[in-house]
Structure formats: structure tokens, C-alpha cells
Amino acid sequence: MTHLQLLRAKDYPRMPWKNGGGFTEEITRDAGEGLDGFGWRLSIADIEESGGFSTFAGYQRIITVLQGDGMRLLVDGQASRPLLPFDAFAFNGESQVSCKLLGGAIRDFNLIYAPQRYRARLQWFDGTSRIFSSASTVLLFAASGQVEVSASGQAKQQLGLYDCLHLEGNDGLLGLDVQGRFCLIELMPR
């Protein structure tokens, strides 16, 4: 039986970055406390100035700009392409990473996961979408002011900006009908 939890952006706990350079709003995670022990974690961060990123040894990271002009990352000495809104970029959590903002402050969206514990897939959608997933954990993150979600066997859900629908324990083929701009994250234990 799939368990559904609607997480509201206004309730996300705010915590300092590992390197002390800013703050993150944690959306959800699989386990652990603080910055340790999780197998996967979703968060939003506000980046107000160019600078270094925290390292997460043993993890893979996927970052997406949500608001602002964008940024360019320097990952282990290699410059990324310009990262503009809703353009996901993956890198190793152990890498030395810094960012150069392309304009003013930005807000970004982060998936950090342990690849030895989980397989992950992250995709952005906009408009009306019919999606099927067999992942045991499915997360749907609303990136527009109104996202409507109908999931197999569940009541219709209305998500506001940055709300997240967390479906856990899926053991079949889950069908989702979604309207709006959103990110679909699928996580499967190894």
C-alpha cells in the first residue's frame, strides 16, 4: 500500500549549510538527523553570493536553479555550462565545487543521494503530464504556484509553490496525472 504525505513549503525546517555559508530548507529525507545518516535528501537553498559548496563524501548531487538568473559551477577545476532555471546538473558530492552567480541571488533545488544505497532519477515537467513509475519512493515537487496531482487510488492533491508530495512504499506501477510545472524524483533501493 502506497503511503502519501503532502509536505507544505511553509513547514520546511531551516538549517545552516555544512560549511556555514548559508541556509537550506529541508523538504524531506529517508532517515538520519542533521547532515548525517540519510540515504537521500531533498532541499532548497538560497545562494546570495558566489562561493564554495559543502562537500558530501559518498553522495551524488543533482542541483537545479529555481529562481534568479542562474549560476556557473566550477567542479574540481572544470567549469560547467551556465545553469539556468529548471536545467538540472549532476556532480559528485566529494568534488570541490564553487559557484559564480550570473546575476543576483538565486534559489536552488537539491537532491543528494547515496548511489551505493539508491538509484535515482530526476526529471522536470511543465504542462499536463501522465506519468507511470514503479519506484518505491516517488517525490513530486511543485515549481509553480498551483500543481494538481491525481495518483492511482488517492484523492486529488493541490500543491502550492515548493510543496512536495511524498509517495512511499509503491510496489506496483503508480499512475500520476499532473498539471503544472513540477519535478519528479524516483528513488529505488539497491
Side-chain angles (χ1 to χ4, degrees), residues 97-170:
V97 179
S98 62
C99 79
K100 172 83 171 120
L101 298 177
L102 300 178
I106 66 165
R107 176 166 265 209
D108 68 27
F109 176 70
N110 298 277
L111 169 64
I112 303 175
Y113 68 97
Q116 70 277 14
R117 293 167 59 188
Y118 288 93
R119 289 190 326 267
R121 184 165 73 168
L122 180 148
Q123 300 175 82
W124 286 95
F125 295 87
D126 194 3
T128 300
S129 304
R130 179 124 176 94
I131 298 164
F132 295 92
S133 178
S134 59
S136 57
T137 300
V138 176
L139 301 156
L140 197 142
F141 174 78
S144 61
Q146 185 173 356
V147 174
E148 188 175 277
V149 183
S150 297
S152 311
Q154 304 281 349
K156 187 177 285 188
Q157 300 290 321
Q158 300 286 338
L159 282 68
L161 185 64
Y162 303 148
D163 290 348
C164 184
L165 192 61
H166 182 169
L167 298 119
E168 192 66 50
N170 181 38

Side-chain angles (χ1 to χ4, degrees), residues 17-176:
W17 293 348
K18 274 175 72 172
N19 68 8
F23 289 91
T24 291
E25 292 176 23
E26 184 175 85
I27 299 167
T28 188
R29 63 165 67 203
D30 68 336
E33 292 187 21
L35 296 173
D36 298 308
F38 63 86
W40 60 264
R41 173 181 176 225
L42 272 186
S43 63
I44 299 170
D46 291 307
I47 301 178
E48 296 181 0
E49 58 188 36
S50 299
F53 277 30
S54 303
T55 58
F56 284 87
Y59 289 90
Q60 179 74 21
R61 297 180 68 172
I62 305 174
I63 193 167
T64 305
V65 173
L66 294 174
Q67 293 176 345
D69 293 332
M71 66 180 163
R72 185 184 298 271
L73 298 183
L74 190 63
V75 181
D76 294 329
Q78 297 293 313
S80 73
R81 66 184 184 273
L83 304 179
L84 305 176
F86 308 107
D87 177 20
F89 182 78
F91 60 94
N92 190 311
E94 294 177 27
S95 294
Q96 294 299 308
V97 179
S98 62
C99 79
K100 172 83 171 120
L101 298 177
L102 300 178
I106 66 165
R107 176 166 265 209
D108 68 27
F109 176 70
N110 298 277
L111 169 64
I112 303 175
Y113 68 97
Q116 70 277 14
R117 293 167 59 188
Y118 288 93
R119 289 190 326 267
R121 184 165 73 168
L122 180 148
Q123 300 175 82
W124 286 95
F125 295 87
D126 194 3
T128 300
S129 304
R130 179 124 176 94
I131 298 164
F132 295 92
S133 178
S134 59
S136 57
T137 300
V138 176
L139 301 156
L140 197 142
F141 174 78
S144 61
Q146 185 173 356
V147 174
E148 188 175 277
V149 183
S150 297
S152 311
Q154 304 281 349
K156 187 177 285 188
Q157 300 290 321
Q158 300 286 338
L159 282 68
L161 185 64
Y162 303 148
D163 290 348
C164 184
L165 192 61
H166 182 169
L167 298 119
E168 192 66 50
N170 181 38
D171 61 1
L173 188 61
L174 177 66
L176 296 167

